[in-house]
Amino acid sequence: MDTVRMPGARALPRTRWGVRKRATATAVVVVAAGLLVGGLILLVLLQTSLVAAAEAAARGEAEEVAGQVSAHGVDEGRRFIESAAHSGQYVQILDPQGSVLASSVPAVAATSLTGLRPEAGQTLTQDVPGLPSIGDDDEFLIVALGVRDKGVLHTVAVAATIQVEADTLATVAWFALGAMPLLLVLVGAAVWTLVGRSLCQVDTIRGQVAMISARRLDGRVEVPPTADEIQALAQTMNQMLDRLEAADVEQRRFISDASHELRSPLTTLSAGLEIAAADPTGRTWEEMKPVLAGETARMRYLVEDLLTLAKTNDGALHLKMTDVDLDDVLHDEITRLRSTSRHRIEARLEPARVTGDAHRLAQVIRNVLDNADRHAESRITVQVQSSEVQATISIDNDGPPVPVLDRKRIFERFVRLDESRSRERGGTGLGLAIAAALMAAHHGSIGASVAPDGGCRFELVFRRAANAVRTPTGKDIAR
């Protein structure tokens, strides 16, 4: 990976440099936009609040003066404004022509503050950049209120300076503009550092994963105690490596077992062909034909079983789903087994219909029955139980039950609880593995347990077909 160097810093991968730069730039832009929008909103709200406060004070003053004029006349209003004048406010009482009848200070006694002439009880406002008549350049807010005295309409005008508010707003704006670059620098530095630390941990994980090869899958990623997404990433990587290692071990074991299974018939075939070829009379060939045919059939069955397992594992197994009568499938398989088995086979078949592939379901039942026939001592018992939601097939034999610790392992590939006996009787160690895979493909289950009489039991559970109809009578088959 290409790297770049920063003065006084160690080499950084180009990708990490780019990620840090993009993350920092994005954070700075987002924060800058947020500060700008937030600052504008703050200034608008502050201005509105300050102006509203100044206007409320001016309105209150105008209403008090108007109340004095309305109740006691203009003269009483003049005395009131002269005695109750506030700093930063100029108050006038104007006649209908705009002449000043009374003012709070002599400076505004000559000229009217405003040209507003509201009706009685009406209030008008006006913003002015200054009062040239008194030489004041501050910003003012003028409130004009109409009031009648002895039938004559007068105007009470109050001019309140808002320059302090404007100066406060400008000061806040300058402070915000001045602090924004410093804040952006701090944000950029913080993001650069934090992203760098996170990427350093990610780069460490990447380096550790890169060192794990197909020949060494036992390595694991160091999980940082950060309680964040980086820790979750490391844990997920370790879980993935656990699955990969388990799959690799399973694949190597599968290849080893398959090779071992194929080696025996291949050796027999090779030796038989060499012996037969060395006999010019052909008698050896005639004697070896049954042996070679049996070994060829064994190889064919083994290859077919391996292909079936590969299809189920890869999801390439195509099932022709139809409504299947389990009792009919069982009847056919029991009839087949009777023709070759030396054991007594008893069955109680209750009608049960499920949804599945009839050929594959027959393969499941055949594999389990053959397994029972290999391990039975004298008797095999088959029973079907049906309910509204599922159908259960119980296949018992009077041989020893599967040990508790082996009841899951027995459905793995090439697993034999009795290696020598299984090979002698033709078992490949794939029948139950295929049965379990096909049951999973049908959304059913298969398990081993102990029969009520202490023998071995295999139980197959199927989901019932949607249009299944139960029949009150069943079939009894015994031998």
Side-chain angles (χ1 to χ4, degrees):
M1 185 184 296
D2 295 336
T3 59
V4 294
R5 290 188 178 274
M6 296 177 60
R10 64 183 179 88
L12 292 174
R14 235 177 244 285
T15 53
R16 285 177 54 193
W17 173 273
V19 170
R20 293 178 75 176
K21 185 167 63 174
R22 289 193 296 271
T24 302
T26 301
V28 170
V29 170
V30 171
V31 173
L35 289 175
L36 183 60
V37 174
L40 291 176
I41 295 175
L42 174 63
L43 292 177
V44 170
L45 293 177
L46 182 60
Q47 181 184 26
T48 302
S49 177
L50 294 175
V51 172
E55 181 179 351
R59 283 177 179 269
E61 182 68 18
E63 290 172 356
E64 288 185 1
V65 174
Q68 294 293 329
V69 172
S70 176
H72 307 289
V74 174
D75 292 337
E76 185 61 27
R78 179 184 299 110
R79 286 191 292 271
F80 179 79
I81 62 177
E82 289 177 353
S83 61
H86 296 284
S87 176
Q89 288 185 347
Y90 299 105
V91 184
Q92 291 181 334
I93 299 177
L94 308 176
D95 63 12
Q97 289 75 34
S99 299
V100 179
L101 301 179
S103 62
S104 59
V105 295
V108 294
T111 306
S112 171
L113 294 173
T114 179
L116 298 175
R117 297 294 181 268
E119 296 294 330
Q122 182 183 15
T123 302
L124 301 176
T125 60
Q126 179 184 17
D127 293 329
V128 295
L131 297 177
S133 60
I134 61 174
D136 195 333
D137 296 332
D138 292 345
E139 293 186 23
F140 281 86
L141 173 68
I142 299 178
V143 175
L145 175 61
V147 60
R148 290 187 179 275
D149 176 35
K150 299 178 181 179
V152 179
L153 180 63
H154 294 82
T155 301
V156 176
V158 179
T161 179
I162 56 174
Q163 187 62 41
V164 175
E165 287 79 359
D167 293 342
T168 301
L169 195 65
T171 301
V172 172
W174 281 111
F175 271 116
L177 291 176
M180 184 180 296
L182 178 60
L183 183 59
L184 293 178
V185 170
L186 293 176
V187 170
V191 172
W192 179 271
T193 302
L194 294 176
V195 172
R197 290 180 180 177
S198 299
L199 290 179
C200 183
Q201 294 174 341
V202 173
D203 195 52
T204 300
I205 295 174
R206 182 199 61 78
Q208 292 173 346
V209 173
M211 294 176 62
I212 300 173
S213 63
R215 295 184 178 181
R216 182 178 172 272
L217 288 173
D218 58 341
R220 293 295 180 268
V221 173
E222 182 181 354
V223 180
T226 53
D228 57 6
E229 288 77 6
I230 303 299
Q231 185 186 58
L233 173 63
Q235 292 172 342
T236 302
M237 293 296 295
N238 285 338
Q239 293 170 1
M240 181 191 69
L241 291 171
D242 289 338
R243 293 193 297 270
L244 289 176
E245 184 180 15
D248 180 70
V249 171
E250 180 68 17
Q251 184 181 27
R252 292 176 186 273
R253 187 172 68 86
F254 178 78
I255 294 173
S256 175
D257 292 339
S259 301
H260 181 71
E261 292 292 334
L262 290 171
R263 185 183 297 117
S264 177
L266 283 174
T267 301
T268 303
L269 289 172
S270 178
L273 290 174
E274 291 179 1
I275 295 173
D279 183 8
T281 64
R283 293 179 180 176
T284 304
W285 171 252
E286 293 296 331
E287 296 175 355
M288 294 292 296
K289 276 201 307 184
V291 176
L292 298 180
E295 293 300 308
T296 303
R298 179 180 175 185
M299 288 183 59
R300 182 176 69 252
Y301 295 145
L302 178 59
V303 172
E304 289 177 354
D305 289 345
L306 291 174
L307 288 175
T308 300
L309 279 176
K311 289 179 180 180
T312 56
N313 291 339
D314 296 338
L317 184 66
H318 299 290
L319 300 176
K320 298 179 180 179
M321 305 299 285
T322 58
D323 288 345
V324 180
D325 291 320
L326 278 181
D327 53 321
D328 291 340
V329 176
L330 268 170
H331 181 271
D332 294 340
E333 291 302 321
I334 291 172
T335 301
R336 176 196 63 81
L337 183 61
R338 282 205 180 119
S339 65
T340 59
S341 176
R342 59 184 177 82
H343 302 125
R344 175 180 176 81
I345 302 175
E346 301 175 351
R348 172 67 180 177
L349 305 184
E350 177 181 340
R353 177 170 292 182
V354 299
T355 300
D357 187 314
H359 173 69
R360 294 299 183 182
L361 292 178
Q363 185 177 5
V364 171
I365 296 172
R366 183 183 310 123
N367 289 352
V368 179
L369 284 174
D370 288 344
N371 179 80
D373 186 54
R374 281 195 299 270
H375 296 87
E377 294 181 357
S378 62
R379 186 181 71 257
I380 298 174
T381 304
V382 182
Q383 183 177 4
V384 179
Q385 293 179 335
S386 180
S387 67
E388 296 295 332
V389 295
Q390 68 181 31
T392 303
I393 299 176
S394 300
I395 300 177
D396 301 342
N397 68 81
D398 56 356
V402 178
V404 176
L405 297 179
D406 295 323
R407 289 178 185 174
K408 290 185 178 179
R409 192 174 68 89
I410 198 174
F411 296 104
E412 298 177 2
R413 295 170 291 191
F414 296 112
V415 171
R416 299 184 183 89
L417 301 186
D418 187 340
E419 296 285 340
S420 60
R421 183 176 65 176
S422 295
R423 281 195 175 91
E424 290 172 359
R425 298 190 182 183
T428 63
L430 294 176
L432 293 181
I434 292 174
L438 292 177
M439 288 297 293
H442 284 83
H443 306 289
S445 63
I446 181 173
S449 60
V450 180
D453 59 359
C456 179
R457 164 170 286 188
F458 282 90
E459 195 170 69
L460 291 75
V461 180
F462 302 85
R463 291 196 304 185
R464 291 290 302 274
N467 57 348
V469 179
R470 294 190 62 184
T471 304
T473 60
K475 291 182 284 186
D476 288 308
I477 303 177
R479 174 184 174 187

